[in-house]
């Protein structure tokens, strides 16, 4: 023993082994797609062992995983995931949207539950190889894309609470259509005071399976009251945190007639969404004159600050609540027209198309960047 620290292998894209399916499937008609129900021909797997580091990446036919029933993922929730999309522009070029952000967040989530971290740039290269193989699954219609679901699970076959000695990183792909195929339909939220999504020092800021499982019963309760999803509140002040599984945005009208775009700060309870960061980035660049967002007012203030339901309610009563929306990978922008709060409904203005004066131009530019209609460094060519 020399006492030297041995560096174990990280993920290495050049070692990838590709096994093409012998039974390729026919992609279904785009109009028949249901989000997350159809999967492409191939998947990516990369094993990890505490004594060996990351193993050989494999792109192989989509199929079941061989995991023992004693694997830690089934008992102690060693499970995390990501979500991002690949787009095809009219010329046929395929791009990923900000994959570096997803890999950075995936590593942060892994650290939180004692799963292994990895080289994010190497994983992006493997994502590109997987998408190249299955890019014909991206429907050739506006608004359609290929949804990528990277995930990592603890696979050590042993009971006992502790860091897993074995793990598996895998990626599956699903062709998806526009979240609102018939146009934007604003949703009604229930400002829940019965359930709590996250608390300081907890896991709210990480994309872990445990975060989502705990919210399903609360969503069912909201649906029983006639609402589509929960608006997660925190503390006796009823601070707004998230909209279902999306980041929350509010637009207020200020006394001088300008608008304030507000989203809660990343305080450890809120997921650092890629779409959230993109919306803030475009809005700030517009305000600072670095980028022009067509049809967006110049009289705009962009704020990351705490916002409460009493503030939203008071603004609605005074006519100063301009709009409320969620932001996330699946829907990009999801407008809200009603919030149930303490026994009454707060109604929120929406335009004829279901959107508002701030969300609409930001959504238009963001989706144009995603689809390649507007060139931007956020789009990474496959």
């Amino acid at each position: 023993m020399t006492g030297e620290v041995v560096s174990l292998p990280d993920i290495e894209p050049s070692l990838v082994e590709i096994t093409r399916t012998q039974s390729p499937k026919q992609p279904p008609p785009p109009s028949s797609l249901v989000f997350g129900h159809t999967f492409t021909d191939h998947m990516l797997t990369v094993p990890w062992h505490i004594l060996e580091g990351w193993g050989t990446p494999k792109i192989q036919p989509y199929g079941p995983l061989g995991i023992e029933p004693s694997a830690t993922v089934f008992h102690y929730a060693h499970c995390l995931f990501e979500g991002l999309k690949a787009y095809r522009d009219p010329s046929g070029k395929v791009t990923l949207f900000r994959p570096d952000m997803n890999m950075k967040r995936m590593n942060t989530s892994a650290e939180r539950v004692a799963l292994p971290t990895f080289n994010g740039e190497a994983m992006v290269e493997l994502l590109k190889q997987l998408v190249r193989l299955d890019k014909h699954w991206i429907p050739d219609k506006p608004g359609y894309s290929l949804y990528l679901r990277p995930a990592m699970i603890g696979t050590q076959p042993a009971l006992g609470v502790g860091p897993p000695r074995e793990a598996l990183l895998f990626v599956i792909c699903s062709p998806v259509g526009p979240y609102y195929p018939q146009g934007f339909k604003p949703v009604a939220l229930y400002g829940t005071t019965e359930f709590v999504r996250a608390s300081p020092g907890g896991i709210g800021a990480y994309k872990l399976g445990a975060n989502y499982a705990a919210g399903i019963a609360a969503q069912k309760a909201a649906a029983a009251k006639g609402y589509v999803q929960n608006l997660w509140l925190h503390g006796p002040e009823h601070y707004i945190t998230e909209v279902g599984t999306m980041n929350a945005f509010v637009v207020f009208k200020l006394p001088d007639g300008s608008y304030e775009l507000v989203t809660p700060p990343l305080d450890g309870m809120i997921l650092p969404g890629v779409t959230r960061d993109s919306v803030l980035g475009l809005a700030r660049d517009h305000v600072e004159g670095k980028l022009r967002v067509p049809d967006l007012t110049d009289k705009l203030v962009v704020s990351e600050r705490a916002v409460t339901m009493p503030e939203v309610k008071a603004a609605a009563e005074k006519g100063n609540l301009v709009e409320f929306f969620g932001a996330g990978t699946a829907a990009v922008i999801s407008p809200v027209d009603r919030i149930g709060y303490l026994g009454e409904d707060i109604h929120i203005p929406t335009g004829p198309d279901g959107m508002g004066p701030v969300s609409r131009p930001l959504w238009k530019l963001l989706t144009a960047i995603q689809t390649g209609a507007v060139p931007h460094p956020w789009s990474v060519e496959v």
Side-chain angles (χ1 to χ4, degrees), residues 2-18:
T2 64
E4 294 178 357
V5 177
V6 178
S7 179
L8 295 174
D10 206 320
I11 291 176
E12 180 48 65
S14 66
L15 298 179
V16 65
E17 296 178 358
I18 300 177

Side-chain angles (χ1 to χ4, degrees), residues 30 32 62 85 111 166 172 175 179 226 232-233 241 283 313 331 342:
S32 70
Y62 175 92
K85 290 178 178 178
E111 287 182 329
E166 298 174 43
I172 54 178
Y179 201 80
W232 296 106
L233 307 177
T241 60
K313 181 181 178 182
L342 299 181

Side-chain angles (χ1 to χ4, degrees), residues 11-14 16 44 46 57-59 121-131:
I11 291 176
E12 180 48 65
S14 66
V16 65
L44 167 70
V46 194
K58 295 182 179 179
I59 294 177
E121 291 182 5
M123 262 305 295
V124 170
E125 288 305 311
L126 288 171
L127 292 177
K128 290 179 180 179
Q129 293 196 49
L130 179 62
V131 172

Side-chain angles (χ1 to χ4, degrees), residues 312 315-317 321 336-340 344-350:
V312 169
E317 291 171 348
L321 181 59
V336 176
D337 64 356
R338 180 167 59 98
I339 300 174
E344 63 177 295
D345 280 349
I346 298 171
H347 294 275
I348 302 162
T350 55

Side-chain angles (χ1 to χ4, degrees), residues 249-335:
F249 283 85
V250 193
V251 180
F252 296 108
K253 186 176 181 181
L254 300 178
D256 64 359
S258 61
Y259 289 159
E260 183 187 18
L261 174 65
V262 180
T263 193
L266 300 179
D267 56 3
M269 289 189 293
I270 292 170
L271 189 75
V274 177
T275 307
R276 173 190 183 275
D277 187 81
S278 303
V279 167
L280 286 173
L282 293 178
R284 283 177 172 147
D285 283 354
H286 175 82
V287 170
E288 295 169 9
K290 298 177 182 177
L291 175 79
R292 178 68 185 168
V293 179
D295 302 320
L296 181 61
T297 178
D298 291 326
K299 296 180 179 179
L300 181 68
V301 177
V302 182
S303 302
E304 287 183 82
R305 66 169 177 84
V307 57
T308 66
M309 271 307 299
E311 181 183 0
V312 169
K313 181 181 178 182
E317 291 171 348
K318 296 176 182 177
N320 294 327
L321 181 59
V322 179
E323 60 175 315
F324 196 114
F325 61 92
T329 299
V332 185
I333 297 292
S334 182

Side-chain angles (χ1 to χ4, degrees), residues 103-154:
M103 296 302 99
K104 177 182 176 182
R105 187 172 64 183
M106 196 170 186
N107 271 318
T108 303
S109 297
E111 287 182 329
R112 184 63 178 84
V113 289
L115 282 168
T117 58
F118 54 88
N119 183 319
E121 291 182 5
M123 262 305 295
V124 170
E125 288 305 311
L126 288 171
L127 292 177
K128 290 179 180 179
Q129 293 196 49
L130 179 62
V131 172
R132 286 187 204 117
L133 194 58
D134 281 349
K135 65 182 181 180
H136 61 284
W137 281 81
I138 306 176
D140 192 19
K141 288 186 65 176
Y144 286 77
S145 58
L146 188 66
Y147 184 84
L148 278 63
R149 169 53 58 88
M152 191 193 302
I153 57 176

Side-chain angles (χ1 to χ4, degrees), residues 203-227:
I203 59 173
Y206 308 93
K207 207 163 179 67
L208 307 174
N211 259 338
Y212 295 79
I216 294 173
Q219 182 179 355
K220 288 178 65 178
K225 297 177 185 292
Y227 299 92

